[in-house]
Amino acid sequence: MIVTLIVICEAAFWVLLAAGLALRYWAKMPRASVAVLLCEPLLEVVLLVVTAIDLKNGAEPDWKHGLAAVYIGYSVALGHYTIQWADVRVAHRFAGGPPPSTPKYGAPRAIHEWKLAARWILAALIAMGLLQGAIWYVGEGGSTDSLAAWQQKMLFLIAINVIIALSYTVFPKKAPAMTTNKG
């Protein structure tokens, strides 16, 4: 049931995002758009409550409960960023907004990568906190190995993001050299 709910929450996230952006750009209803987009966090609350109820009712903690924590961590730390990312692209494509811009070279790109890494690190830390809460919630009587395994995966996620950001800092991508055509 938890996996189904995660899939439903993910689908609902994109449906709410599409509906919110459609209200903003096509229906010209910015307040309604904001109201719809503010419903996004309710998805995580529902998932958290259902996961806690499932564990309270005696479900053996397994990978599904860990995945729920990871999904909630992602949604909390990167949900707003994802909405902004989509908003800029829809505004550009359908409403005459400026083109999306992501720095491609040098220090600006490194800063962008560190900011993105910080979001992923926050997502991982939120997930690890929820997983630890679930471990304490289940107590010593239940098997929590799968939840602890998810915590290890979150540490790996943190390491990967730091390595990526560090690589853009240590080996900054350089802009292509301008060539002139004399002919």
Side-chain angles (χ1 to χ4, degrees):
M1 176 173 112
I2 299 296
V3 173
T4 303
L5 185 59
I6 292 169
V7 170
I8 290 169
C9 285
E10 179 66 12
F13 174 86
W14 291 103
V15 167
L16 286 172
L17 179 56
L21 294 176
L23 286 168
R24 178 173 296 163
Y25 295 110
W26 291 298
K28 307 290 186 215
M29 301 171 66
R31 286 188 179 159
S33 170
V34 169
V36 168
L37 293 174
L38 285 175
C39 291
E40 298 275 3
L42 295 176
L43 299 171
E44 286 70 49
V45 171
V46 168
L47 182 58
L48 181 63
V49 168
V50 169
T51 303
I53 290 170
D54 190 45
L55 290 171
K56 183 70 172 169
N57 288 338
E60 192 68 27
D62 61 12
W63 67 272
K64 296 175 280 208
H65 298 97
L67 182 60
V70 171
Y71 178 80
I72 292 168
Y74 171 86
S75 295
V76 169
L78 285 130
H80 184 69
Y81 177 79
T82 304
I83 291 169
Q84 285 180 323
W85 178 90
D87 187 32
V88 167
R89 281 149 182 79
V90 170
H92 172 66
R93 176 93 166 117
F94 299 107
S101 66
T102 300
K104 294 183 183 194
Y105 308 108
R109 179 59 187 238
I111 291 167
H112 171 77
E113 291 299 328
W114 280 108
K115 287 179 180 178
L116 197 54
R119 287 182 177 98
W120 278 105
I121 291 166
L122 178 60
L125 292 174
I126 290 168
M128 290 172 70
L130 290 171
L131 289 161
Q132 189 60 48
I135 289 169
W136 290 333
Y137 186 65
V138 170
E140 295 193 24
S143 172
T144 57
D145 294 342
S146 64
L147 300 177
W150 274 104
Q151 288 179 316
Q152 294 297 318
K153 290 174 185 162
M154 294 301 95
L155 289 173
F156 181 71
L157 179 70
I158 289 170
I160 291 296
N161 277 280
V162 167
I163 289 168
I164 290 169
L166 192 58
S167 73
Y168 278 94
T169 304
V170 175
F171 306 107
K173 192 173 179 184
K174 294 183 171 112
M178 297 293 282
T179 60
T180 57
N181 189 0
K182 295 181 183 181

